[in-house]
Amino acid sequence: MPHSTNKELIVGIMVGTTGISLLLLWYHKVRKSRTTLNLPKFLSLGTKFDSITFQDEMYNGQGTAAIFQRRQLQILEKLNELLINMEELKEEIRVLKETIPKLEEYIQGELGGRITVHKISPQHRARKRRLATVQSSGTSNSSEEAESEGGYITANTDTEEQSFPVTKAFNTHIEELNLDVLLQKADNLRMNECSKLESFELLCDHKEKFRDEIEFIWRLARAYGDMYELSTNAQEKKHYANVGKTLGERAITRAPTNGHCHLWYAVLCGYVSEFEGLQNKINYGHRFKEHLDKAIQFLPEEPFLYYLKGRYCYTVSKLSWIEKKMAATLFGKIPSSTVEEALQNFLKVEELHPGFSKSNYLFLAKVRKNTIL
């Protein structure tokens, strides 16, 4: 082989080796650069996921905190209202405690010393003597369905806290009584709070026989009013009020000049009103006053009527603006009364029947407090 050929071969090998080395070097550089570029991208992608999750957690945490703060504010508002109501109640109790001991002196002064407030009237003693002679009578259940609207104010006396008694079993034998004896027996039983249920059942036992007798009808209506007062269940109270009001309507239709019919119809309208809306309350408030005035016209010496009128006057004096406007829309005039009118009616009760009821004393104290303030 010639010498020149060997040189060319050696140079070619060197050039080839150099090219392969350069090629390998270029390959390593490219691979390293790709790794260097991709790693930060991968890391930044993870950072993005982490930041999104953290933001969501912060958002959820802030939302929960806001809800919790709102609930705290609501609880604080309710507690504040409760505290205000308690303070008002404590103040009213304090005023009543101060006023009630002075009522006797005040009533005597207002009535010119004509009566002794706690004196028991002969009529009251006679009622107690008659009550002592009453014997137990049979009982039964009764139900009458009625529908009615409206009412306005109630007039509970000392039976507002009574529990609804358990109804006794039906009688297998009903004692035959003539009307006068039955009515006297029912009236005597009713004088005792514990016997009002028995009086009610006695009348129900005889309702088919005397259902057309006016003196029987209004007493049965009154007995349903008694059951309304004795009951503590809302549905039972509504039932008794509606049935009694229907009986009262029948009574005043048949005997428009009987004061007792107007009296108990007015009372039962008030009881029904407890389950009615504002418009019906106002509607029957007008009717309550109308029949109360008629009852006073026919029974001017009945103290319970003046107690009811005092309650009515006191309630009307406290009517809100919207209630007065609605009454004016319905009847063309705004019902008006004052605490002073209520006071005069409660005093009239004491004049006619000293010591009539604890409720009358309570309202005397209330209106006295308002007149002082």
Side-chain angles (χ1 to χ4, degrees), residues 9-104:
L9 181 61
I10 291 169
V11 170
I13 290 170
M14 290 177 66
V15 170
T17 303
T18 304
I20 291 170
S21 299
L22 290 172
L23 181 63
L24 289 171
L25 181 62
W26 176 80
Y27 174 76
H28 284 294
K29 284 185 178 180
V30 170
R31 184 179 178 183
K32 184 178 180 181
S33 65
R34 283 181 180 176
T35 304
T36 306
L37 288 173
N38 288 338
L39 183 61
K41 287 182 180 179
F42 176 76
L43 293 175
S44 68
L45 184 62
T47 304
K48 286 181 181 179
F49 282 125
D50 290 341
S51 93
I52 290 170
T53 304
F54 179 70
Q55 288 175 0
D56 288 342
E57 289 176 352
M58 285 183 64
Y59 178 77
N60 291 335
Q62 290 173 354
T64 304
I67 293 171
F68 181 69
Q69 287 176 353
R70 283 199 299 271
R71 288 178 179 172
Q72 280 185 322
L73 288 173
Q74 290 173 354
I75 292 170
L76 288 173
E77 287 174 0
K78 294 292 183 185
L79 287 173
N80 187 49
E81 289 178 9
L82 180 61
L83 289 172
I84 291 172
N85 290 336
M86 287 179 66
E87 288 298 324
E88 291 176 352
L89 181 60
K90 284 167 64 177
E91 178 62 19
E92 185 167 350
I93 291 172
R94 184 189 66 78
V95 173
L96 289 175
K97 282 182 177 180
E98 293 176 357
T99 307
I100 286 174
K102 302 174 184 177
L103 275 179
E104 181 175 352

Side-chain angles (χ1 to χ4, degrees), residues 275-333:
F275 307 97
E276 299 297 328
L278 179 59
Q279 183 172 343
N280 282 337
K281 283 179 183 290
I282 293 172
N283 183 27
Y284 271 87
H286 180 75
R287 190 170 297 186
F288 176 93
K289 179 63 164 54
E290 175 189 353
H291 290 277
L292 189 62
D293 288 341
K294 288 182 179 180
I296 290 174
Q297 178 186 346
F298 298 125
L299 300 170
E301 300 300 314
E302 173 54 55
F304 186 45
L305 289 168
Y306 297 97
Y307 169 77
L308 293 176
K309 191 171 182 180
R311 290 284 301 267
Y312 174 84
C313 293
Y314 183 77
T315 302
V316 169
S317 71
K318 301 294 183 183
L319 284 179
S320 66
W321 176 84
I322 191 170
E323 288 171 326
K324 290 181 179 179
K325 293 295 289 182
M326 185 170 287
T329 302
L330 290 173
F331 304 108
K333 62 178 181 179

Side-chain angles (χ1 to χ4, degrees), residues 339-373:
V339 174
E340 182 62 31
E341 288 181 73
L343 177 60
Q344 294 307 314
N345 280 285
F346 293 131
L347 287 171
K348 182 70 174 178
V349 174
E350 290 302 311
E351 181 181 349
L352 292 172
H353 188 161
F356 175 72
S357 76
K358 290 181 288 184
S359 292
N360 196 59
Y361 281 145
L362 175 62
F363 276 93
L364 268 170
K366 283 186 176 182
V367 297
R368 180 63 179 156
K369 180 194 75 173
N370 279 273
T371 54
I372 292 173
L373 297 176

Side-chain angles (χ1 to χ4, degrees), residues 1 175 225 247 372:
M1 179 180 292
E175 183 183 359
L247 289 167
I372 292 173

